[in-house]
Amino acid sequence: MDIAALIAWVITALGGFYMLGTWLSRGGAKAGHSRLPVPVLFGHFALAAVGLVVWIGYVLTQKAALAWTAFGLLVPVALLGFTMLARWLPVHRARTAAAAAATADAAGQQPEPAERYFPVPVVAGHGLFAVVTVVLVLLTALKIGGS
């Protein structure tokens, strides 16, 4: 189960890297219109990366303390992720409404937030694999299932 958690974590990270790259390439915080606070975004990224390194340490050593540390790191990662999801949803809804209306004059529009360019399947996949990762890490730390 520890390898399954590692695979899920890596897949989650790939989705996160894609969204981070999209956000940065579209101006990120520089554009001034992002609804994603920089400390939340980079805190989510940093804690998830540190947690992944700790999890790799667990996979290599099978020390229970590392499994629990990785899980402990995932709790704030998940909370920050939910915070960003809650702040992204209105941006996504506004884009959908604007596309449906298609009446706004391009010259009069506010610049779009960078996170408006996140593909819904990537956001959904990132969230789904994140939940799977948390569950697998918790089950492994509790020694439920195979390791």
Side-chain angles (χ1 to χ4, degrees):
M1 189 170 316
D2 55 351
I3 298 298
L6 178 62
I7 291 168
W9 205 323
V10 169
I11 292 170
T12 304
L14 291 173
F17 278 129
Y18 179 83
M19 289 187 287
L20 179 61
T22 300
W23 188 77
L24 291 171
S25 70
R26 295 291 183 159
K30 284 192 270 184
H33 299 286
S34 178
R35 291 186 42 88
L36 303 180
V38 173
V40 173
L41 192 140
F42 283 103
H44 177 77
F45 167 74
L47 288 171
V50 170
L52 178 56
V53 170
V54 171
W55 188 252
I56 291 169
Y58 168 74
V59 170
L60 295 174
T61 66
Q62 297 296 304
K63 293 189 185 263
L66 292 176
W68 284 109
T69 301
F71 178 73
L73 288 166
L74 281 176
V75 172
V77 168
L79 292 173
L80 293 171
F82 281 121
T83 299
M84 289 189 294
L85 177 64
R87 295 181 67 90
W88 173 79
L89 283 172
V91 172
H92 171 67
R93 288 184 184 134
R95 178 181 186 188
T96 304
T103 58
D105 178 32
Q109 289 182 346
Q110 290 282 346
E112 295 183 330
E115 59 271 17
R116 181 167 283 183
Y117 296 95
F118 293 169
V120 173
V122 175
V123 173
H126 181 71
L128 176 66
F129 277 98
V131 170
V132 168
T133 300
V134 171
V135 169
L136 290 175
V137 168
L138 178 60
L139 291 175
T140 301
L142 291 170
K143 299 192 183 303
I144 297 174
S147 181

